Amino acid sequence: MDFVSILMGSKSDYEIMEEAAKVLQNFKIKYELVISSAHRSPQRTKEYILNAEEKGAKVFIAAAGMAAHLAGACAAYTTKPVLGVPMPGTHLASMDSLFATVQMPSGIPVATLAIGKAGAINAAYLAVQILAIKDTGLAQKLKQDRLEKEKKLIFDSKEVEVLL
């Protein structure tokens, strides 16, 4: 069974990462969502990633704040795409989680998205795009989603626009 795995470093990340789950639900993509820490539960993280891959995980979305090594830990244990979402925080204006996620050694890539909610949403959309490479039905749903977003933007503009 193909699915997307969403990992969070702590429960405080749930409110943001729930947005990724909503996108996947909208596209009717199965997903798992777990809390596991690269630092507080490294063995759990390793075992989860290996088991998830065996069960059919095709893409991993990993979110963490502060030292933010969860995405890197995921990438160390799988060759599937890993999408990192740095979490917002108060320390170092969230730059610590951004840098920890984006600065990976050569050969162990993590696709790093924006900090916070926009990153969570875009990570889910990127996961959908990855899955749509081999699924024409899903690719069509993505195109339809884009058209709906365009229609909404045009509608919103007509409500407020002033043209000469």
Side-chain angles (χ1 to χ4, degrees), residues 13-153:
D13 301 332
Y14 177 73
E15 187 177 324
I16 289 172
M17 294 313 295
E18 182 181 29
E19 298 299 321
K22 288 177 186 176
V23 170
L24 297 174
Q25 288 169 2
N26 185 48
F27 284 96
K28 299 189 179 6
I29 293 174
K30 294 181 184 337
Y31 67 92
E32 290 186 346
L33 188 143
V34 298
I35 297 171
S36 194
S37 170
H39 301 107
R40 294 185 301 261
S41 60
Q43 190 61 34
R44 171 183 165 82
T45 300
K46 177 182 178 180
E47 288 172 7
Y48 172 76
I49 293 162
L50 295 175
N51 289 333
E53 190 171 307
E54 239 179 67
K55 292 188 320 187
K58 299 299 181 202
V59 180
F60 290 86
I61 298 173
M66 296 176 71
H69 291 292
L70 185 56
C74 289
Y77 297 117
T78 185
T79 57
K80 304 292 185 199
V82 177
L83 313 178
V85 181
M87 290 289 99
T90 56
H91 303 292
L92 303 173
S94 304
M95 296 304 283
D96 52 345
S97 60
L98 174 62
F99 289 151
T101 306
V102 78
Q103 293 287 42
M104 291 296 297
S106 298
I108 311 293
V110 169
T112 305
L113 286 297
I115 297 169
K117 184 177 174 180
I121 291 168
N122 281 340
Y125 270 100
L126 185 54
V128 174
Q129 289 175 322
I130 291 167
L131 295 174
I133 290 170
K134 290 190 174 188
D135 183 334
T136 56
L138 191 53
Q140 189 57 42
K141 287 180 185 177
L142 269 170
K143 288 178 184 175
Q144 186 60 40
D145 184 73
R146 291 268 176 103
L147 289 173
E148 289 171 15
K149 284 180 176 22
E150 180 183 19
K151 286 178 188 175
K152 183 181 181 327
L153 178 128

